[in-house]
Amino acid sequence: MSSGQQMPPWLQEQIMKLQQAQQNLQSIMAQKQQLEMEQIESDRALEELKKVADSDPVYKHAGSLLIKSTKAVLIAELEEKKELANTRVTVLAKQEARIKESIKEQEIKINEMMHSGQKPPS
């Protein structure tokens, strides 16, 4: 297409769909990264907590407060949190793979449409 030509509406629509998919991919990748950081923090907390004697006082954050708890309860909570984050990371990784494949297909479709100059089949 020459720079003087206006992009056909059907091509604009395909490009907008591609951009939306790319934004979705960025969002999923950011969520996944956040969850992976939570997993690392949980691992570190578990490591430290396991070093503490069972009789030692331990505390957890509850908003801006520290609440006294027990080592066993905190270990159980951290392991549950870690497991939940792991499940969510797995789901997000699958979504990420699907969106990447979709983006690749959309890019191929757009390139084919631009080179043929034809409207896609409905």
Side-chain angles (χ1 to χ4, degrees):
M1 271 187 205
S2 67
S3 59
Q5 287 182 318
Q6 185 76 356
M7 219 186 302
W10 49 267
L11 182 55
Q12 287 177 351
E13 182 182 334
Q14 292 301 313
I15 290 173
M16 285 178 56
K17 284 181 182 178
L18 175 62
Q19 290 171 337
Q20 185 176 22
Q22 289 170 332
Q23 288 174 349
N24 287 344
L25 178 60
Q26 287 176 341
S27 173
I28 286 171
M29 290 171 71
Q31 289 175 49
K32 191 172 127 191
Q33 185 178 23
Q34 178 66 37
L35 286 168
E36 288 167 345
M37 292 301 295
E38 283 181 26
Q39 286 176 310
I40 290 168
E41 288 176 16
S42 292
D43 282 336
R44 286 186 190 145
L46 279 167
E47 261 180 56
E48 291 302 315
L49 196 53
K50 288 177 181 178
K51 294 177 188 176
V52 173
D54 290 342
S55 60
D56 288 346
V58 290
Y59 300 87
K60 69 177 182 176
H61 275 279
S64 61
L65 300 175
L66 287 177
I67 306 292
K68 191 172 185 176
S69 188
T70 66
K71 178 179 173 179
V73 167
L74 290 181
I75 287 175
E77 286 177 4
L78 284 169
E79 287 177 345
E80 183 180 341
K81 180 180 177 181
K82 198 172 130 184
E83 187 178 324
L84 179 59
N86 188 44
T87 301
R88 290 183 62 208
V89 165
T90 302
V91 169
L92 289 171
K94 288 177 183 177
Q95 288 178 342
E96 179 182 359
R98 280 195 305 267
I99 290 177
K100 282 181 177 178
E101 185 61 32
S102 172
I103 286 172
K104 191 187 303 182
E105 290 171 6
Q106 287 174 319
E107 288 173 340
I108 291 168
K109 185 177 179 181
I110 288 170
N111 284 333
E112 287 173 355
M113 289 189 308
M114 287 177 68
H115 286 97
S116 70
Q118 296 192 355
K119 188 173 182 178
S122 298

